[in-house]
């Protein structure tokens, strides 16, 4: 039981999984404000240098109430779509606090950002031309591919030789030509090598690369190293955390030497998503059935891949906690089970062949580290309703921060 993250962190504060489900329904996303704020601060202070800023990459989680807290903690934000820009503005972010990292967008989308005074990063010569046409004389950032990638799955490696992202370094002369043609001002360059590294060496390598690239451009205002900072998804096995202090000091050293050479105190930025929000989120679900099919034990729950897609999409591991009568299970007796959902596909498996405390109908399952790429990738597949989201506030009490979908929501875009 002491392996239980939520026990060690007093995650549920003054309430408990069963009370939460009773009040807000099942399944349910639960976030802990104290953990969220702590992660925001860790990233805001990652590199001990002047003129450093961390963005929050809101694709990981764009709940408006969490965005407001992130802003309070001094983070800026990056956006990947007009929708994310819209939500950020609603949450109170100022245009200069938002960075639009675009990829294959229409003129209309690019204009959406430009019209609101938001800086756009482009990642191809075609899109640089497009931006030049619609915003001659304006500011721009360019995303380069530093040639090294990293990530927990090939689907999330976003630099290196096999990716659609970034401008290759051999096209720098073309970038300069287009910038001149449209009288643009290159204010920053950025990169993102991929999502979830636990060994920071590839990230440090990429930082050195991008800083080399930066030397080829005069008068930059910022260099943005991207996100990808990993979290330990296997806490129950004692997986260690990233050593942020060591990484921060290493980066500070590299940046200080580079700034001296560049001759300007250029702003340094990062854009973590997962690190900030994964660990403050738990997805709760309810056990409705238990069966043995050909020797395999299935625990049937409402945790379908419509609510958390990561295990199905990337074979991702999330630690599981079992709650009985509202309390973490003592779990002396265990069995090996598959935790499955209620979606009409055999691949609908949340956790495969796990040794867990014996689970019975009516128990509650907690899926750990579900705050990042959980709700933000949830869908209405099978016309299921997306869950509510609840915040355990600093005083330990719960507050609903997004209501559950209703059946009416499912038909709201039809004329009937
Ligand atoms: N910046 C850019 C340009 C990105 O594309 C991403 C993530 C980030 C920052 C933030 O990366 P993070 O710090 O969260 O690793 N759905 C996948 C992750 C996809 C990440 C896509 N880009 C997952 O659930 O693992």
């Amino acid at each position: 039981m002491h392996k239980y993250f939520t026990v060690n962190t007093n995650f549920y504060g003054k309430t408990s999984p069963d009370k939460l489900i009773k009040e807000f329904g099942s399944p349910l996303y639960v976030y802990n404000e104290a953990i969220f704020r702590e992660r925001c601060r860790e990233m805001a202070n990652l590199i001990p240098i002047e003129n450093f800023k961390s963005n929050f990459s809101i694709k990981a989680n764009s709940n408006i109430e969490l965005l407001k807290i992130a802003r309070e903690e001094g983070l800026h934000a990056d956006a990947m779509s007009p929708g994310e820009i819209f939500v950020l503005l609603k949450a109170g972010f100022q245009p200069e606090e938002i960075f639009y990292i675009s990829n294959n967008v229409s003129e209309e989308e690019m204009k959406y950002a430009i019209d609101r005074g938001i800086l756009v990063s482009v990642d191809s010569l075609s899109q640089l031309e497009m931006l030049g046409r619609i915003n001659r004389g304006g500011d721009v950032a360019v995303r380069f591919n530093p040639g090294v990638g990293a990530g927990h799955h090939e689907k999330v490696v976003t630099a290196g030789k096999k990716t659609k992202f970034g401008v290759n370094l051999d096209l720098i002369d073309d970038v300069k030509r287009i910038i001149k043609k449209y009288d643009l001002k290159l204010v920053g360059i950025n990169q993102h090598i991929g999502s979830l590294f636990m060994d920071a060496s590839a990230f440090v390598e990429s930082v050195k690369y991008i800083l080399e690239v930066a030397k080829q451009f005069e008068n930059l205002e910022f260099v943005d190293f991207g996100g990808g900072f990993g979290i330990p998804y296997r806490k129950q096995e004692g997986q260690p955390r990233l050593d942020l202090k060591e990484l921060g000091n290493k980066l500070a050293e590299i940046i200080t030497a580079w700034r001296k050479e560049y001759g300007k105190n250029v702003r340094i930025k990062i854009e973590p998503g997962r690190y900030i929000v994964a660990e403050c989120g738990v997805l709760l679900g309810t056990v409705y059935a238990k069966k043995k099919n050909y020797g395999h034990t299935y625990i049937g729950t409402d945790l379908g891949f419509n609510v958390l897609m990561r295990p199905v999409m990337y074979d991702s591991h999330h630690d599981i906690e079992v709650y009985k009568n509202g309390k973490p299970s003592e779990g002396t007796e265990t069995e090996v089970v598959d935790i499955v959902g209620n979606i009409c596909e055999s691949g609908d498996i949340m956790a495969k062949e796990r040794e867990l405390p014996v689970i019975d109908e009516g128990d509650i399952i907690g899926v750990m580290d579900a705050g990042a790429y959980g709700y933000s990738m949830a869908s209405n597949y099978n016309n299921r309703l997306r869950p509510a989201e609840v915040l355990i506030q600093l005083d330990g009490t719960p507050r609903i921060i997004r209501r559950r979908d209703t059946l009416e929501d499912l038909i709201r875009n039809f004329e009937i």
Side-chain angles (χ1 to χ4, degrees), residues 57 59-60 78 80 101 143 152 155-156 158 165 190-192 194-196 226-229 233 271-275 310 314 316 372-373 377:
S57 195
K59 56 184 77 68
D78 70 68
M80 203 67 203
I101 302 178
R143 174 172 177 176
H152 67 86
K155 288 188 180 133
V156 300
T158 50
F165 294 105
N190 55 304
Q191 67 169 22
H192 173 67
S195 195
L196 207 166
F229 306 86
Y233 279 102
E271 48 197 42
R274 181 190 323 270
Y275 190 90
R310 303 192 69 257
Y314 318 109
S316 302
Y373 306 108
M377 291 173 73

Side-chain angles (χ1 to χ4, degrees), residues 130-169:
M130 182 192 279
L131 188 132
R133 283 196 304 272
I134 61 179
N135 196 27
R136 178 178 279 278
D139 289 350
V140 66
V142 173
R143 174 172 177 176
F144 284 102
N145 178 351
V148 266
H152 67 86
H153 190 283
E154 64 177 23
K155 288 188 180 133
V156 300
V157 175
T158 50
K161 295 203 168 59
K162 285 190 186 167
T163 174
K164 66 170 177 162
F165 294 105
V167 175
N168 279 0
L169 300 183

Side-chain angles (χ1 to χ4, degrees), residues 354-365:
R354 294 288 180 86
E355 185 174 355
L356 293 169
V358 171
I359 298 173
D360 299 299
E361 285 167 38
D363 289 352
I364 293 173
I365 301 292

Side-chain angles (χ1 to χ4, degrees), residues 302 304 306 342-343 379-386 405 410:
D302 50 10
N306 58 309
N342 49 8
I343 294 294
S379 78
N380 291 120
Y381 186 42
N382 280 194
N383 271 0
R384 292 218 160 265
L385 308 180
R386 286 172 308 167
D405 283 344
L410 296 175

Side-chain angles (χ1 to χ4, degrees), residues 30-184:
V30 186
Y31 305 102
N32 179 289
E33 182 174 348
I35 299 175
F36 181 62
R37 284 186 185 273
E38 190 181 324
R39 297 290 176 259
C40 286
R41 282 175 206 158
E42 281 176 317
M43 283 292 130
N45 300 314
L46 179 72
I47 314 181
I49 51 167
E50 272 172 37
N51 208 6
F52 162 69
K53 195 57 146 180
S54 176
N55 281 351
F56 175 33
S57 195
I58 75 158
K59 56 184 77 68
N61 191 318
S62 52
N63 185 296
I64 288 193
E65 296 305 314
L66 296 182
L67 296 183
K68 286 183 193 162
I69 296 173
R71 182 161 189 271
E72 246 176 62
E73 292 294 343
L75 299 182
H76 287 178
D78 70 68
M80 203 67 203
S81 66
E84 287 190 350
I85 292 173
F86 176 77
V87 168
L88 280 165
L89 292 170
K90 290 274 176 213
F93 283 83
Q94 299 301 301
E96 61 277 13
E97 297 169 350
I98 303 172
F99 184 31
Y100 182 30
I101 302 178
S102 73
N103 174 239
N104 306 333
V105 302
S106 66
E107 276 194 16
E108 197 184 351
E109 288 195 9
M110 220 178 249
K111 262 177 87 45
Y112 184 88
I114 293 166
D115 289 349
R116 285 158 184 76
I118 291 165
L119 181 67
V120 179
S121 144
V122 294
D123 83 339
S124 63
L125 298 182
S126 335
Q127 299 253 283
L128 184 56
E129 283 270 357
M130 182 192 279
L131 188 132
R133 283 196 304 272
I134 61 179
N135 196 27
R136 178 178 279 278
D139 289 350
V140 66
V142 173
R143 174 172 177 176
F144 284 102
N145 178 351
V148 266
H152 67 86
H153 190 283
E154 64 177 23
K155 288 188 180 133
V156 300
V157 175
T158 50
K161 295 203 168 59
K162 285 190 186 167
T163 174
K164 66 170 177 162
F165 294 105
V167 175
N168 279 0
L169 300 183
D170 56 358
L171 296 176
I172 286 181
D173 286 343
D174 293 291
V175 168
K176 288 185 175 168
R177 176 179 52 76
I178 298 169
I179 283 177
K180 208 162 160 201
K181 177 172 162 194
Y182 294 102
D183 197 22
L184 295 169

